[in-house]
Amino acid sequence: CFMSRATFYRYFGGVKDVANWYQQYTAALCLHRIGRSFTVTEGHRLSLALLAKGAPLFSGYVRWWNYDYSLPSVLGHVKAMNGVLAEHEVALTAKVAYEVEGIAMTCHQLVAKWFNDGMNLPVDDLAEIIASFYPAHLREVFDKTSYEPDIANVVDLLLGGSGNEIAQDAIR
């Protein structure tokens, strides 16, 4: 990773911490932008594509994955979703809170299963499956975007030239 062992351990406790950081980083770029600059399917598609890019790191990480260790990621996703709901002035009833948390936990577990199964399902298919878990009333809210995202630049920055295909797909 082009840094000394001492520098690495100054920032990370181990490989699990790097994988956790990368997961949270991709969530901040993609999942937390759902309902703001990405639709539900676009956000999940891009997030999955970025996670797939880090597959060598994640393939070992998900074997160690347990709910307690990944809870910060789930809670971060819930917090971001609740922020979008607040921006759209949707009341956070007990039912909505359960739906949001259920989406976040289900998404998290499906991604773990996807990695453990050798990523045998195309990114687009998994993104559509995850999007199908959003109830219609929440899907309406999260599919509203406030501005046109510059998906190509985000993907090119993170994935390199091969990101253009994913970006163009997401824009369509």
Short mmCIF file of all heavy atoms in Angstrom, two decimals, residues 40-41 126-135 139:
data_model
loop_
_atom_site.label_atom_id
_atom_site.label_comp_id
_atom_site.label_asym_id
_atom_site.label_seq_id
_atom_site.Cartn_x
_atom_site.Cartn_y
_atom_site.Cartn_z
N VAL A 40 -32.18 5.37 -5.75
CA VAL A 40 -31.90 4.17 -4.96
C VAL A 40 -31.02 3.20 -5.75
O VAL A 40 -29.98 2.76 -5.27
CB VAL A 40 -33.22 3.48 -4.53
CG1 VAL A 40 -32.95 2.13 -3.90
CG2 VAL A 40 -33.99 4.37 -3.57
N THR A 41 -31.43 2.89 -6.96
CA THR A 41 -30.68 1.92 -7.76
C THR A 41 -29.30 2.45 -8.12
O THR A 41 -28.31 1.71 -8.04
CB THR A 41 -31.47 1.54 -9.03
OG1 THR A 41 -32.77 1.08 -8.65
CG2 THR A 41 -30.78 0.45 -9.81
N LEU A 126 -27.94 -7.18 -8.29
CA LEU A 126 -27.99 -7.02 -6.83
C LEU A 126 -28.51 -5.64 -6.46
O LEU A 126 -29.30 -5.50 -5.51
CB LEU A 126 -26.62 -7.27 -6.21
CG LEU A 126 -26.57 -7.24 -4.68
CD1 LEU A 126 -27.58 -8.21 -4.06
CD2 LEU A 126 -25.17 -7.55 -4.18
N ALA A 127 -28.13 -4.62 -7.21
CA ALA A 127 -28.64 -3.27 -6.94
C ALA A 127 -30.15 -3.22 -7.09
O ALA A 127 -30.85 -2.59 -6.27
CB ALA A 127 -27.97 -2.26 -7.86
N GLU A 128 -30.67 -3.88 -8.10
CA GLU A 128 -32.13 -3.91 -8.30
C GLU A 128 -32.82 -4.70 -7.20
O GLU A 128 -33.91 -4.32 -6.74
CB GLU A 128 -32.46 -4.50 -9.67
CG GLU A 128 -32.12 -3.57 -10.81
CD GLU A 128 -32.34 -4.21 -12.18
OE1 GLU A 128 -33.07 -5.21 -12.27
OE2 GLU A 128 -31.75 -3.69 -13.14
N ILE A 129 -32.22 -5.78 -6.74
CA ILE A 129 -32.80 -6.56 -5.64
C ILE A 129 -32.86 -5.70 -4.38
O ILE A 129 -33.90 -5.65 -3.70
CB ILE A 129 -32.00 -7.86 -5.39
CG1 ILE A 129 -32.20 -8.83 -6.55
CG2 ILE A 129 -32.39 -8.50 -4.06
CD1 ILE A 129 -31.24 -10.00 -6.55
N ILE A 130 -31.76 -5.04 -4.07
CA ILE A 130 -31.73 -4.19 -2.88
C ILE A 130 -32.77 -3.07 -3.00
O ILE A 130 -33.50 -2.79 -2.05
CB ILE A 130 -30.31 -3.62 -2.64
CG1 ILE A 130 -29.36 -4.75 -2.22
CG2 ILE A 130 -30.35 -2.50 -1.60
CD1 ILE A 130 -27.90 -4.35 -2.16
N ALA A 131 -32.86 -2.46 -4.17
CA ALA A 131 -33.83 -1.39 -4.38
C ALA A 131 -35.26 -1.89 -4.18
O ALA A 131 -36.13 -1.14 -3.72
CB ALA A 131 -33.67 -0.79 -5.77
N SER A 132 -35.50 -3.17 -4.47
CA SER A 132 -36.85 -3.71 -4.32
C SER A 132 -37.28 -3.82 -2.86
O SER A 132 -38.46 -3.97 -2.58
CB SER A 132 -36.94 -5.09 -5.00
OG SER A 132 -36.29 -6.08 -4.24
N PHE A 133 -36.34 -3.75 -1.93
CA PHE A 133 -36.68 -3.82 -0.51
C PHE A 133 -37.21 -2.49 0.04
O PHE A 133 -37.70 -2.45 1.16
CB PHE A 133 -35.47 -4.27 0.32
CG PHE A 133 -35.11 -5.70 0.08
CD1 PHE A 133 -33.87 -6.04 -0.42
CD2 PHE A 133 -36.01 -6.73 0.34
CE1 PHE A 133 -33.53 -7.36 -0.66
CE2 PHE A 133 -35.69 -8.05 0.11
CZ PHE A 133 -34.44 -8.36 -0.39
N TYR A 134 -37.09 -1.43 -0.73
CA TYR A 134 -37.61 -0.13 -0.30
C TYR A 134 -39.13 -0.12 -0.51
O TYR A 134 -39.58 -0.31 -1.64
CB TYR A 134 -36.99 1.00 -1.11
CG TYR A 134 -35.57 1.36 -0.75
CD1 TYR A 134 -34.52 0.50 -1.05
CD2 TYR A 134 -35.27 2.57 -0.15
CE1 TYR A 134 -33.20 0.83 -0.74
CE2 TYR A 134 -33.97 2.91 0.17
CZ TYR A 134 -32.95 2.04 -0.12
OH TYR A 134 -31.65 2.37 0.18
N PRO A 135 -39.92 0.12 0.54
CA PRO A 135 -41.38 0.23 0.33
C PRO A 135 -41.67 1.38 -0.63
O PRO A 135 -40.89 2.35 -0.71
CB PRO A 135 -41.92 0.55 1.73
CG PRO A 135 -40.83 0.16 2.67
CD PRO A 135 -39.54 0.29 1.92
N ARG A 139 -39.49 4.62 -1.47
CA ARG A 139 -38.83 4.62 -2.77
C ARG A 139 -39.11 5.94 -3.49
O ARG A 139 -38.22 6.52 -4.11
CB ARG A 139 -39.32 3.42 -3.59
CG ARG A 139 -38.67 3.24 -4.94
CD ARG A 139 -37.23 2.73 -4.81
NE ARG A 139 -36.59 2.70 -6.08
CZ ARG A 139 -36.48 1.61 -6.84
NH1 ARG A 139 -36.95 0.46 -6.42
NH2 ARG A 139 -35.87 1.68 -8.00
#
